[in-house]
């Protein structure tokens, strides 16, 4: 298990918000949040893995964000400005999360 938090980029006074991940890939992620974000808006993403010593901090851009009937919204973001080390960590996480084929 891991935790993902987000906040608007460049706003250090804004608090981190926990989001419910709906999709995760090497290039971005989907999540449900209580706040509607604007398309194109930059976000800071923090990924906390139990086995990691430090959180992974990434910059992302909102690709789409749609309201849901439950007073929440569903967002999709793409990762931007990643270092090669950050991309390697994300790639490893994606491989770990990939469903394993059932053995017979």
């Amino acid at each position: 298990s891991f935790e993902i938090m987000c906040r608007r980029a460049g706003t250090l006074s804004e608090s981190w918000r926990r989001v419910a991940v709906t999709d995760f890939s090497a290039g971005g992620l989907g999540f449900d949040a209580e706040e509607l974000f604007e398309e194109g808006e930059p976000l800071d993403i923090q990924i906390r893995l139990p086995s990691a010593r430090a959180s992974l901090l990434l910059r992302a851009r909102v690709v789409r964000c749609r309201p849901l009937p439950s007073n929440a919204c569903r967002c999709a973001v793409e990762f931007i400005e990643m270092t090669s080390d950050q991309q390697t960590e994300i790639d490893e996480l994606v491989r770990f999360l990939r469903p394993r084929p059932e053995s017979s």
Side-chain angles (χ1 to χ4, degrees):
S1 73
F2 60 97
E3 178 180 76
I4 294 189
M5 313 269 285
C6 78
R7 70 177 178 194
R8 287 187 164 79
T11 53
L12 298 177
S13 62
E14 188 168 327
S15 61
W16 290 97
R17 295 169 186 81
R18 184 176 310 187
V19 296
V21 177
T22 58
D23 187 33
F24 195 94
S25 73
L29 62 100
F31 61 86
D32 290 348
E34 295 178 4
E35 181 176 355
L36 190 66
F37 296 100
E38 296 292 325
E39 291 182 15
E41 184 173 10
L43 299 178
D44 290 328
I45 303 290
Q46 181 181 67
I47 302 173
R48 293 183 183 172
L49 300 170
S51 60
R53 288 174 286 195
S55 296
L56 180 58
L57 296 173
L58 302 169
R59 180 66 49 96
R61 180 181 66 85
V62 177
V63 176
R64 72 183 158 276
C65 196
R66 305 285 184 256
L68 296 173
S70 61
N71 290 332
C73 63
R74 178 150 296 160
C75 298
V77 301
E78 65 180 345
F79 300 130
I80 57 175
E81 303 172 16
M82 287 200 322
T83 67
S84 60
D85 287 344
Q86 289 172 322
Q87 185 66 61
T88 298
E89 286 189 65
I90 291 295
D91 291 344
E92 289 173 5
L93 180 57
V94 168
R95 276 193 297 279
F96 176 77
L97 295 172
R98 187 172 294 141
R100 311 279 190 267
E102 291 186 30
S103 57
S104 22

